[in-house]
Amino acid sequence: MIVQSAALVLFALAAVSVLVLANRLRAKSKRKNEEEGGDGLVLDLINTFFAAVVALVVVIAWQNYDNAHTHTVAEAKALVDVHSAADELPQTQRERIQGLVRDYTTQVLDHEWPIMAEKRQLSESTQQTFDTLRAEAAALPDTDDDARTRVMAGLDGVAQARYDRAMDARLSMPGFLYVALWFGTALLLLGMVLTGQKITRRNIFTTAVLGVVVGWVILAIYNLDRPFSGGSIVPRDAFELALTRFGPGN
């Protein structure tokens, strides 16, 4: 919060600084003349360009974030399905499968989530736990074929969602979109050079608010980018709920 608040203040100061600099560089005689119509057209084009870039970037960032959360929900649901299907197994196999499901879920929450935030990849030890779980399920006797089929189907769902989560952890906005975003921001702030505004309390306040709004938009985009390592990390609620559904540990 402190860093983000400081960033917003810097954006406001930058916007006001551009206003002051533009006021000093632009001759008074040129503030109001026959070129105002052309200046207005340029400003409209700049505003349209900035709005279009922001809209595109926000949509992509939010879609990536939402997809990442959807994949965690799908993985957690599949784990619940596996745990539920194991109820039909004999006690020894049931305790083994359900114990591994619980271990895997706990490792994802306590161990893998920080690794995704720090290294943008999944944990090898958690993957080994999942591989052990699949091997145990594959080794279930044919006498429990129906339960074994349900367990394996659930694990296939976990594997697919886990693969999707691994891809999500590496997600990042394409660099050219950030270039376009910063270029549009620079044009928006420098566009004040064309307005020829005088330095008044009202104009300074309005310009500072503009800087804060632009800064807030850019920070929001950066927070949404990289779903598991950005400023707004995908919540772990689906896995936490799955643990509660498992009940007390064996």
Side-chain angles (χ1 to χ4, degrees):
M1 284 297 294
I2 295 177
V3 174
Q4 294 191 6
S5 298
L8 293 179
V9 172
L10 289 176
F11 270 102
L13 291 175
V16 172
S17 298
V18 170
L19 174 64
V20 174
L21 181 61
N23 188 270
R24 291 183 177 181
L25 293 178
R26 189 178 176 107
K28 292 183 179 181
S29 60
K30 294 183 180 180
R31 284 179 182 160
K32 300 293 180 181
N33 56 29
E34 64 276 5
E35 295 179 0
E36 282 185 340
D39 292 349
L41 177 60
V42 173
L43 287 174
D44 288 342
L45 290 175
I46 290 174
N47 292 336
T48 301
F49 175 78
F50 179 77
V53 171
V54 167
L56 177 63
V57 173
V58 167
V59 167
I60 293 176
W62 175 254
Q63 188 175 43
N64 290 342
Y65 180 90
D66 187 57
N67 287 341
H69 186 250
T70 299
H71 294 152
T72 65
V73 172
E75 186 175 358
K77 284 183 177 179
L79 287 168
V80 172
D81 291 341
V82 173
H83 192 278
S84 177
D87 285 335
E88 301 177 10
L89 296 172
Q91 181 177 0
T92 302
Q93 288 88 352
R94 180 181 70 246
E95 291 180 353
R96 178 61 176 163
I97 295 296
Q98 290 182 342
L100 285 170
V101 170
R102 175 180 291 277
D103 290 344
Y104 171 76
T105 306
T106 301
Q107 288 179 26
V108 170
L109 284 170
D110 298 339
H111 180 62
E112 195 161 58
W113 226 266
I115 290 179
M116 288 192 296
E118 181 180 354
K119 300 181 179 180
R120 299 176 62 194
Q121 64 184 32
L122 302 189
S123 162
E124 292 184 5
S125 60
T126 305
Q127 179 63 52
Q128 290 174 0
T129 300
F130 180 70
D131 292 341
T132 301
L133 172 58
R134 295 195 76 170
E136 289 286 339
L140 290 172
D142 294 337
T143 53
D144 304 306
D145 189 58
D146 184 57
R148 179 179 181 276
T149 299
R150 289 181 56 200
V151 168
M152 292 302 297
L155 289 176
D156 287 342
V158 175
Q160 179 61 56
R162 179 175 176 81
Y163 178 83
D164 291 336
R165 182 159 56 86
M167 298 302 296
D168 294 334
R170 295 178 171 86
L171 273 180
S172 181
M173 192 71 62
F176 74 90
L177 286 179
Y178 274 122
V179 172
L181 178 64
W182 283 109
F183 179 69
T185 301
L187 286 180
L188 186 66
L189 295 179
L190 293 176
M192 290 183 293
V193 174
L194 300 175
T195 64
Q197 297 182 59
K198 295 181 180 180
I199 298 180
T200 64
R201 291 183 179 179
R202 179 180 179 180
N203 287 341
I204 289 177
F205 175 77
T206 303
T207 303
V209 171
L210 173 64
V212 170
V213 171
V214 171
W216 180 83
V217 169
I218 293 177
L219 286 177
I221 291 171
Y222 271 95
N223 285 337
L224 283 177
D225 194 17
R226 300 181 180 180
F228 293 102
S229 58
S232 298
I233 296 177
V234 171
R236 308 182 305 170
D237 51 358
F239 288 94
E240 292 170 346
L241 179 60
L243 276 181
T244 64
R245 293 285 301 274
F246 297 160
N250 294 327

